[in-house]
Amino acid sequence: MVIRIASRGSELALWQSRAVADALRAADSALEVEIEVIRTTGDRIQDVPLAKIGDKGLFTKELDNALLAGEADLAVHSLKDVPTRLPDGLTLAAVTVREDPRDVVLLPPGRAGGLDALEPGARVGTSSLRRVAQLRKLRPDLQLLDLRGNLNTRLAKLDRGEYDAIILAAAGVLRLGWRERISAYLEPPRWLPAVGQGALAIVCRTDRDDIRAALAPLNDPATAAATAAERALLRSLEGGCQIPIGALGLVDEGQVFLAGLVADTDGSRILRVHQAGAAKDAEAVGRAAAGELLAKGAGEILEAVRARVGAPEPAAP
C-alpha cells in the first residue's frame, strides 16, 4: 500500500511530515510512504500581517483540496493551524504525542535572559496577536514588530539585528534542533500558548477507512483529549487562529485540566478561566470554559479586536 502525504514545503513542515512517515512505516513495514509538497496561501503571502489576511484555512486549504481531489491520502499540519470546523468530507484522524506546548524567547547570539532582560523600547518580533496582547500586559514598554516567514527566515532576521528578540513556539524550535537558541520559556498559566500548539494533526478523507486504520497507532489519547478541550473552547468563541485567544489542556489520571484566556490586543484586559472534568468529556470542558469567558465579557473584547485589526468575522478555526 502506498500512502501519499500532502505537506507544506518549509523545513519544519517537512520535518513533521517525515516524522509521520517514519511512524507509519514503523507501525506497518509493508507501507510505502511518499511526501507531496504543496504551497499554501499563508506561504505565498509574506508581506501582510496574519490577522489582516484572514485565517480560515490559511495554512491548510490547499492541502485539504488535494485530499478531496484524491491527489493525496493524508495531510500533516501543526494542529494550531487547523480550523476547528474541517471541510465536509475530511476528518481529524490522529493527533500525535505533543511536543513542548510553550512559547519561547530567542535572543541574538551571545545574549541571555528572558523578557525581563530586555531594555525598554527593545524590538520584539511576533506575528501573533495572542502574543502581542500578553507581551503588552507584561512589558508595555517594548516595541512590538510584525514577524513573518518560516522559522529559518525568522531566526535569520533576528541574527541580522532586525529584532532584539523574537517569540516562537518551542515545538518548532526543538524539532529543528535549535534548543541551544532558546533564551527563556514563557510559563503557563501566566502565559498561554495557541490552541493545539505543539501537537501534529493528521487529516484524511472521512471515506478512507484504510487510511484511518493505518493512522490509529499514531493517535495519542492524552494529547487528543487535551487539544479537544482547547479546540472546543476556540470553536465556541468563534475566535479564529489569529485572534488573541490562548489555551492549554493537560490530562492527568483521566481528568482534563484547561486554562484559557481572551485578551484585548493592547493588553489592557485579559480574561482568564480554569475548568476541569473527565477526559472523555473534554469538549464539554472546553465549551464550559468558553461560556465562562463569554460571561466575563469575552464577546465584547473579540468584537472590538476584529473591528480594530480588520479580521474577518467570524473567521473561526
Side-chain angles (χ1 to χ4, degrees), residues 44-285:
R44 290 195 300 269
I45 303 175
Q46 293 291 325
D47 56 351
V48 180
L50 290 176
K52 295 286 187 180
I53 302 172
D55 57 8
K56 194 170 185 180
L58 186 61
F59 293 106
T60 61
K61 182 178 179 180
E62 287 80 1
L63 278 68
D64 291 342
N65 289 342
L67 295 180
L68 292 170
E71 297 168 359
D73 301 305
L74 61 89
V76 178
H77 306 287
S78 294
L79 182 56
K80 65 184 179 63
D81 295 331
V82 177
T84 59
R85 295 180 176 89
L86 293 178
D88 290 343
L90 298 182
T91 185
L92 180 56
V95 178
T96 66
V97 174
R98 198 173 207 168
E99 179 55 273
D100 193 322
R102 294 175 292 180
D103 280 341
V104 289
V105 180
L106 276 67
L107 301 179
R111 295 283 305 277
L115 294 179
D116 294 341
L118 296 175
E119 297 179 358
R123 301 160 301 162
V124 179
T126 176
S127 59
S128 162
L129 293 182
R130 171 188 55 82
R131 290 170 180 153
V132 165
Q134 294 181 92
L135 281 167
R136 285 180 171 155
K137 180 68 173 180
L138 294 174
R139 289 291 308 270
D141 58 302
L142 297 175
Q143 182 183 358
L144 306 185
L145 305 175
D146 194 55
L147 175 65
R148 293 292 314 280
N150 60 41
L151 291 190
N152 306 69
T153 300
R154 297 183 189 198
L155 190 63
K157 289 179 178 181
L158 173 67
D159 291 348
R160 286 200 302 267
E162 297 180 27
Y163 304 90
D164 299 305
I166 60 176
I167 311 296
L168 299 175
V173 177
L174 295 171
R175 284 171 176 145
L176 291 183
W178 299 343
R179 184 183 298 271
E180 73 282 355
R181 292 301 308 265
I182 295 174
S183 298
Y185 289 83
L186 297 170
E187 297 291 348
R190 184 187 185 208
W191 180 287
L192 288 182
V195 166
Q197 187 162 297
L200 299 184
I202 310 176
V203 175
C204 72
R205 282 170 41 168
T206 54
D207 61 359
R208 292 297 303 271
D209 291 341
D210 55 338
I211 298 299
R212 296 171 75 173
L215 291 172
L218 280 62
N219 187 64
D220 180 62
T223 303
T227 56
E230 297 167 22
R231 286 166 61 78
L233 178 152
L234 183 62
R235 182 170 57 249
S236 297
L237 294 175
E238 294 191 333
C241 304
Q242 304 307 327
I243 297 296
I245 296 172
L248 182 62
L250 298 172
V251 172
D252 184 43
E253 296 185 351
Q255 294 288 108
V256 61
F257 302 88
L258 178 66
L261 69 78
V262 169
D264 205 337
T265 50
D266 62 4
S268 61
R269 191 177 182 196
I270 296 182
L271 306 179
R272 297 180 181 273
V273 295
H274 293 85
Q275 286 281 342
K280 64 181 178 61
D281 299 322
E283 292 193 6
V285 172

